[in-house]
Amino acid sequence: GTEPHPKETGISTWKRPDSRSLFSMDTEGRVMRFDSLSKVLSSGLRLGFVTGPTALVDRINLHTQASNLHPSGVSQALCSKLLHHWGQEGWDLHVNKVALYYMKRRDIFEALARKYLSAYAEWTTPSAGMFVWFKLHGIDDTQQLIQEKARGANVLLLPGQAFSPTNSKSEYVRAAFSTASEEDMEEALSRFSKLLETS
């Protein structure tokens, strides 16, 4: 990524760069934004929210009432209490800490990817999130590679085809780096490089 890195600015003074809001690009009042608290508070909460034009949000509410029984009341109460306690400043501080955590994980993962996969794949350093997309050299269909060889070697990756609306073959795989230890990352990438070497 091109964001200022905490090594350069000091961890205590580092601040996640602001992203341009999707709403700032909306010229016709049609942008809707869907957010999840799963990646910034706790995955078990399973809570999200939508922001956008009232008429569209009202329609989503109608559909949601017909399709969902009800999100967990305990999760909603917990989040409401926490967010009110934190206020905007506390929320911003927390999100900044989460962004820094993911950036550190990304940097570790990418250093290991360079060590093991440079000859077999290319990728773009993600500026946010918890995934790296690898474009594999010389492999047109990663589905078979992942479902057969990688799974057999205990390497968990998602083939790009899983994200295709047309179920098309893909030369991409998605790897997550958010929860694995550095040792597990290294082991997985080492195993994956051995699979790619023989593919």
Side-chain angles (χ1 to χ4, degrees), residues 49-70:
F49 54 93
V50 61
T51 312
T54 302
L56 295 175
V57 172
D58 286 347
R59 297 300 296 174
I60 288 175
N61 276 334
L62 285 174
H63 288 287
T64 300
Q65 290 169 11
S67 61
N68 295 353
L69 283 175
H70 199 280

Side-chain angles (χ1 to χ4, degrees), residues 109 112 115-117 153-156 180-195:
F109 185 82
L112 292 167
K115 177 178 177 181
Y116 290 103
L117 299 180
N154 292 323
V155 177
L156 182 60
S181 69
E182 184 173 348
E183 294 77 22
D184 287 344
M185 288 181 197
E186 181 151 27
E187 182 64 27
L189 291 171
S190 172
R191 288 180 190 178
F192 191 45
S193 71
K194 289 173 184 164
L195 290 176

